[in-house]
Amino acid sequence: MTGLRWGILATGGIAGAFASDLRTAGLDLVAVGSRSQESADAFASRFDIPHAHPSYDALVADPDVDIIYVSTPHPMHHENARLALENGKHVLVEKAFTLNHAEAEDLQALGAERGLLVMEAMWTRYLPHMIRIRELIADGTLGDIRAVSADHTQLLPTDPAHRLNALELGGGALLDLGIYPISFIWDILGAPTSIRAVGRLIDTGADSEVATVMTHEGGAVSTSLSSSRAAGPNVASILGTAARIDIDTVWYSPTTFRVILPDGTVQEEYVSSVAGRGMQYQAHAAERLVRDGILEGDILPIAESVAIMGALDEIRAQIGVRYPREEA
């Protein structure tokens, strides 16, 4: 491996999960930055991190840090990732990658200009069961893929001030939950050739439910459903002419899937065996890309992350969601 030295920007729940998985994988976590020294110190103590910085500026200026994991809420991703890139750090940016397509394009351009890796932290794509699914598709096991479906539905806090429901914080089911099935569908079928979306909005103007129907090159169709107000099965299916894949709950985390022939015969059953949550696989991928001098990822190229943000913009336009700072 490259021996990249990791820094974590922000100290929320997702940052803790990532730090834990970095430690599980034995990767080099050397620094954390928060908006207060107290928070940085507490996080550093929890994960045995040598450098605790009281600001994001101090973190990105740390000469012992090579790559920064940006784990702030969506509206801050662009500013925080830009700060890291401007200070010569590679970045792994939590999904959804940014608030919108324009911000995503800007980070892509800045990374290319500075010769730095810019990568979206869509950790699901790097999990072993997803790697196996792509192998099965590549070797023709499923035949002609006709349809893909996936849901991400949870019962989440209803407090209007909670970041999940506040438009000024990028709240709504789409960016927090819908990004998973949309990215998964894109991974299997490629970019959509058409998008139709419907949604339900709460009093804050944020989306609580979003459903999509998309068409893809070759005529394949896909459906997705996301909800922050009801917990569903959280499963996914890939339907082909020769076989289908049913991914069990929770499909976007380490889980089980089956390859099922048209007569119902189970041809293959895959059972995940992953230490921790599984976020370390994306970190390994980032280190591999830097080691090989590749700035455009293979499993999730930055150009694809940018294009997905464009699709999310289109979905929001169709359901009537616009974030406050986009009004200017």
Side-chain angles (χ1 to χ4, degrees):
M1 300 305 293
T2 60
L4 288 184
R5 298 166 297 176
W6 287 84
I8 295 181
L9 191 150
T11 57
I14 195 68
F18 185 68
S20 178
D21 281 352
L22 285 184
R23 286 291 181 233
T24 296
L27 298 183
D28 197 6
L29 175 54
V30 302
V32 62
S34 182
R35 290 174 295 180
S36 74
Q37 188 68 64
E38 181 181 11
S39 177
D41 286 342
F43 194 92
S45 175
R46 180 181 168 196
F47 295 104
D48 191 25
I49 301 171
H51 303 300
H53 297 290
S55 70
Y56 301 153
D57 288 302
L59 172 66
V60 301
D62 189 334
D64 291 332
V65 173
D66 302 310
I67 184 167
I68 288 178
Y69 170 65
V70 176
S71 64
T72 45
H74 318 310
M76 293 78 168
H77 286 179
H78 175 254
E79 176 185 352
N80 298 154
R82 196 169 225 290
L83 179 68
L85 291 167
E86 288 171 344
N87 281 268
K89 312 300 187 187
H90 303 287
V91 291
L92 175 65
V93 185
E94 250 312 309
K95 61 356 170 190
F97 184 55
T98 53
L99 197 65
N100 56 39
H101 182 260
E103 292 182 352
E105 277 191 317
D106 181 66
L107 292 183
Q108 179 187 24
L110 182 58
E113 175 189 317
R114 299 298 175 94
L116 295 166
L117 177 70
V118 181
M119 180 171 148
E120 181 184 8
M122 178 46 74
W123 61 290
T124 297
R125 288 214 186 185
Y126 302 89
L127 293 173
H129 75 285
M130 290 296 178
I131 302 296
R132 179 57 183 152
I133 286 170
R134 283 193 288 271
E135 290 173 350
L136 289 164
I137 292 170
D139 69 18
T141 298
L142 302 189
D144 179 29
I145 297 178
R146 307 292 295 181
V148 175
S149 64
D151 79 303
H152 190 178
T153 48
Q154 298 188 37
L155 182 58
L156 299 177
T158 59
D159 178 2
H162 193 285
R163 74 160 188 87
L164 292 165
N165 304 310
L167 273 185
E168 65 273 15
L169 295 177
L174 182 63
L175 260 59
D176 257 281
L177 307 178
I179 178 63
Y180 282 88
I182 296 296
S183 185
F184 170 67
I185 289 166
W186 206 292
D187 188 18
I188 303 303
L189 295 177
T193 53
S194 70
I195 300 173
R196 296 180 183 177
V198 293
R200 182 179 185 179
L201 309 186
I202 58 176
D203 289 343
T204 64
D207 50 288
S208 58
E209 279 83 26
V210 181
T212 66
V213 177
M214 300 188 289
T215 58
H216 302 263
E217 187 175 351
V221 298
S222 67
T223 60
S224 78
L225 172 65
S226 56
S227 174
S228 60
R229 289 293 186 270
N234 291 305
V235 295
S237 294
I238 306 169
L239 307 182
T241 52
R244 76 174 192 267
I245 292 176
D246 288 347
I247 314 175
D248 295 327
T249 188
V250 172
W251 69 265
Y252 51 83
S253 64
T255 189
T256 304
F257 73 77
R258 289 165 307 287
V259 179
I260 304 173
L261 301 180
D263 65 1
T265 301
V266 176
Q267 178 174 298
E268 177 177 331
E269 183 170 13
Y270 184 98
V271 179
S272 292
S273 178
V274 171
R277 191 172 189 232
M279 299 181 78
Q280 66 269 31
Y281 293 99
Q282 62 184 347
H284 281 303
E287 293 208 358
R288 172 178 55 82
L289 291 168
V290 173
R291 178 198 66 203
D292 294 344
I294 301 172
L295 302 181
E296 184 72 16
D298 45 5
I299 290 177
L300 179 55
I302 184 59
E304 190 168 317
S305 292
V306 172
I308 289 171
M309 289 311 307
L312 297 184
D313 283 0
E314 172 61 23
I315 292 167
R316 286 196 295 115
Q318 290 189 26
I319 66 174
V321 173
R322 190 173 177 86
Y323 302 120
R325 75 172 184 227
E326 295 177 316
E327 301 293 344

